[in-house]
Amino acid sequence: MVAAALLRRTPGSLASAIRLHRTAAAATPIARFMSTHVTNAACEDNEPGFLGSVETFYDRAAKISGVSEKSLTGIKAVDAVLSVKFPVEIDADTHVIIEGYRAQHSRHRLPCKGGIRFSDEVDLQEVEALASLMTYKCAVVDVPFGGAKGGVKLNPKKFTPAQLERITRRYTMELCQKNFIGPGVDVPAPDVGTGPREMSWIMDTYRQFNPQDVNAAGCVTGKPISQGGVRGRNEATGLGVYYGIREFLQFPEVQEMTGLDGNIAGKTVIVQGFGNVGYWAAKFFQNNGAKIIGIGEHDVSAYDPNGIDIEAIFKHRAENGTFRGFGNAEIIDGSIKVMERECDILIPAALERQIGLKNVKNIKAKIIGEAANGPITPDAHDYLVSQGKVVIPDLLLNAGGVTVSYFEWLKNLSHVRFGRMSRKWEEAGKSRLLTLVEENAGRQLTPQERRAVIHGAEEHELVYSGLEDTMIGACEETRATAALKNTDFRTAALVNAIQKISTVTTQSGQMFL
Ligand code: NAD
């Protein structure tokens, strides 16, 4: 256990600290710009850390946003951070001290929203950076939430499910006690190392502490369906990545920059990270005719120019714990080198700072779609843009997760599945209309034709439709601002976010900014 200090039966006092003040101005410039990932193979030592990168991108957009200096300073600062250490019983004789964080970057809209990460790389700066990105992301896709993020410093692979359950529940207890969770306050979701199982434990713990809260299910999203989850949330981020890249491929300026046509079919794709986001993104690209030629994981990558079957390699990895031995695929050490292979679309879907000054000159992809948060450093981003490559930024491209989390939260507050009240009614209405059309046209539709027209939407179809509409709208807005300001797509998306947040805070009064 890299992160946790081992204790022998000494359930030490709970050390926790809440900082409820602005932190951006307080932290030293050096600390903010240091890398938090010492093992990072892609970045030079003098490149900014994750938080420094987010702030660098923000500052660039701020300059051309037309928003007042006063608002810009307020928007950039992190509102509140919670830092806790707590003991958890691992077995009859052993306790470990676990470190956990939650940062609320902005409460200009409530609740705050953002995932919880379980990783031994977690630290306060990473959580603050991710929380800031959440604020901007929600604004880009018009999801009416502030931004937050949580992290627990541990490697989940080193704990049993029972131990992880105790840790997750104890961390949630800390969030409850300090008012950092609740359907109207702060609503976590899955991120690296967490999924529906952890979200279930979080909701159940919150409910124990708030038995009167009829909206308790809305305290967390990404839950299993049986616990109030919404159909489509699991695949939402990967599906949003697919919709976003598909949309960009349609733009004439993108086709001109890349020399690519507007079709997904036939495009070659490399994905780094084969977890929730990477798996689903790869699956949607493959289902729509693209060829997945490379997949990188933390240990090795698989590469096959003839295409890799996503389900087959997923099964192989589940059974063997690695891509090694999969079909005819070439196995490459690590996940950085595979990103340097020739392809049309590169999708980093693992962690931050995967493309930096050390490897950016080797990237051959024409489109780089940021499914992960913060995978490209500012200098590497500038180099890619200078080479005419299209970088679709994280705050836009991976916003599918929070968009569908918003739908799940709405479902939880309304206490009813989407479509439950209206589906049969709409089908009956369409059926009556078809009968009139048949009578007037003098032709009977076949049962299949009839079914295709009257079919009322299932919950997942409504979710997919809402997600597609959201991603298309946000891509269009980003494109329009990029053209208006003559800037790259990341700066454009940030300009849009800053302007929207500024409008909300200014019109509500600046007192609580
Ligand atoms: P996950 O834990 O499901 O998957 C991460 C995968 O990346 C794992 O398979 C892990 O083994 C692999 N990995 C770790 N280090 C790696 C490395 N150095 N090289 C290659 N692979 C590596 O996490 P996820 O939910 O898929 O999140 C991935 C990224 O997407 C993160 O940056 C996260 O913040 C971002 N994101 C996730 C969501 C979501 O809904 N889950 C939403 C928006 C953004």
Side-chain angles (χ1 to χ4, degrees), residues 117 191-193 233 237 275-277 297-298 335 349-351 372-373 398:
R117 180 174 285 199
D191 194 75
V192 173
R233 174 60 184 91
T237 310
N276 174 282
V277 179
E297 253 299 328
H298 66 93
S335 70
L351 293 171
N373 284 309
N398 70 30

Side-chain angles (χ1 to χ4, degrees), residues 75 77-80 102-115 127-150 180 182-189 221 402-403 405-406 409 497 500-501 504-505:
I75 294 169
V78 178
D79 268 8
R102 183 85 184 159
Q104 296 177 343
H105 170 257
S106 176
R107 292 181 289 195
H108 74 289
R109 286 196 192 274
L110 285 171
C112 301
K113 190 86 189 74
V127 170
E128 286 190 14
L130 288 161
S132 314
L133 270 178
M134 282 307 299
T135 299
Y136 310 138
K137 195 179 300 187
C138 289
V140 163
V141 286
D142 294 323
V143 164
F145 293 146
K149 204 80 179 192
F180 271 71
V185 180
D186 189 343
V187 181
T221 58
V402 76
T403 302
S405 277
Y406 171 46
W409 181 79
K500 289 179 192 179
I501 298 164
V504 173
T505 51

Side-chain angles (χ1 to χ4, degrees), residues 338-376:
V338 75
M339 293 196 289
E340 300 175 1
R341 296 288 171 100
E342 202 78 58
C343 65
D344 296 321
I345 300 165
L346 172 62
I347 304 179
L351 293 171
E352 56 268 20
R353 304 182 84 246
Q354 297 301 301
I355 301 176
L357 284 178
K358 278 190 190 163
N359 63 344
V360 67
K361 293 199 170 147
N362 302 330
I363 299 294
K364 297 174 192 70
K366 301 174 184 82
I367 294 180
I368 300 98
E370 292 187 329
N373 284 309
I376 306 178

Side-chain angles (χ1 to χ4, degrees), residues 166-178:
R166 279 201 291 280
I167 293 166
T168 308
R169 287 182 182 277
R170 181 58 198 261
Y171 171 71
T172 309
M173 209 174 93
E174 299 287 337
L175 298 180
C176 288
Q177 285 175 342
K178 277 95 187 180

